Amino acid sequence: LTMTLEEIHGQENTMENADSCWVNALLLFADLKCAALEELLVAAKKQDYLTVGVYESAKVMNVDPDSVAFCVLATDEEYECDIALQIHFTLIQAFCFDNDINVVRVNDIERLADLVGANETGEPKDAHCILVTSPSANPWKDPALDKLSLFCEESRSVYDWVPTITLPER
């Protein structure tokens, strides 16, 4: 089997186009995950279905674990070496796995703090852990939650147990 230079060059262009399509699809999927996360947090905040903060989240998980629908763990370079925070993250992740709660990591804690708002004193909330909760008696349904749940399920199928969502810079 011999190929001419034109045929080889034609195959390279086809492969480059396929690679380009694949990259574009991945970028679009990444944008959809980010948009779904933002939509979910904003909608949950309006419904008063958010718990923000590591200790506050731990309390909810201890008192009413069935109310937790989704978990977001956030960190940035400043906190990557915080051993206490990493221990909390490990315990929260273990709790989520044991209770079939989807969990994601997010790279931009400041952006998450902006999305969930300030506390009573006007200071940004501790957005290291955010829980989306839903009353057990009347579970809350949201399309963004469904999208993120599907993303988590697909990630687990390729052994990515805590997928990361990288929020785009604004």
Side-chain angles (χ1 to χ4, degrees), residues 38-99:
E38 287 185 17
E39 287 172 28
L40 176 65
L41 294 177
V42 168
K45 182 180 175 184
K46 286 179 184 174
Q47 296 285 330
D48 199 27
Y49 289 164
L50 279 186
T51 301
V52 181
V54 173
Y55 298 108
E56 294 82 356
S57 296
K59 287 180 202 171
V60 168
M61 289 176 164
N62 189 40
V63 173
D64 190 10
D66 293 334
S67 72
V68 180
F70 196 78
C71 179
V72 179
L73 298 176
T75 191
D76 57 14
E77 291 177 12
E78 179 181 346
Y79 293 100
E80 283 183 2
C81 295
D82 185 334
I83 300 301
L85 183 62
Q86 298 308 319
I87 291 170
H88 286 295
F89 278 6
T90 301
L91 294 172
I92 290 169
Q93 287 172 188
F95 178 88
C96 289
F97 295 152
D98 286 347
N99 290 279

Side-chain angles (χ1 to χ4, degrees), residues 10-167:
Q11 273 192 335
E12 287 173 357
N13 284 340
T14 303
M15 290 175 69
E16 287 173 13
N17 288 340
D19 288 345
S20 176
C21 288
W22 181 248
V23 168
N24 288 339
L26 288 176
L27 290 174
L28 177 63
F29 187 63
D31 290 344
L32 292 174
K33 291 182 303 190
C34 295
L37 180 61
E38 287 185 17
E39 287 172 28
L40 176 65
L41 294 177
V42 168
K45 182 180 175 184
K46 286 179 184 174
Q47 296 285 330
D48 199 27
Y49 289 164
L50 279 186
T51 301
V52 181
V54 173
Y55 298 108
E56 294 82 356
S57 296
K59 287 180 202 171
V60 168
M61 289 176 164
N62 189 40
V63 173
D64 190 10
D66 293 334
S67 72
V68 180
F70 196 78
C71 179
V72 179
L73 298 176
T75 191
D76 57 14
E77 291 177 12
E78 179 181 346
Y79 293 100
E80 283 183 2
C81 295
D82 185 334
I83 300 301
L85 183 62
Q86 298 308 319
I87 291 170
H88 286 295
F89 278 6
T90 301
L91 294 172
I92 290 169
Q93 287 172 188
F95 178 88
C96 289
F97 295 152
D98 286 347
N99 290 279
D100 296 321
I101 299 167
N102 289 315
V103 58
V104 295
R105 279 198 181 240
V106 176
N107 67 327
D108 192 340
I109 192 166
E110 290 178 17
R111 181 98 170 278
L112 285 176
D114 289 343
L115 285 170
V116 298
N119 63 19
E120 300 78 29
T121 63
E123 292 292 317
K125 291 184 178 178
D126 169 23
H128 284 106
C129 183
I130 302 171
L131 297 181
V132 175
T133 58
S134 176
S136 298
N138 185 18
W140 179 56
K141 297 292 180 190
D142 185 86
L145 180 59
D146 293 339
K147 290 175 191 172
L148 290 168
S149 295
L150 180 62
F151 164 66
C152 289
E153 186 179 318
E154 290 172 351
S155 295
R156 283 191 299 273
S157 72
V158 292
Y159 304 105
D160 185 4
W161 301 107
V162 183
T164 300
I165 296 177
T166 302
L167 297 175

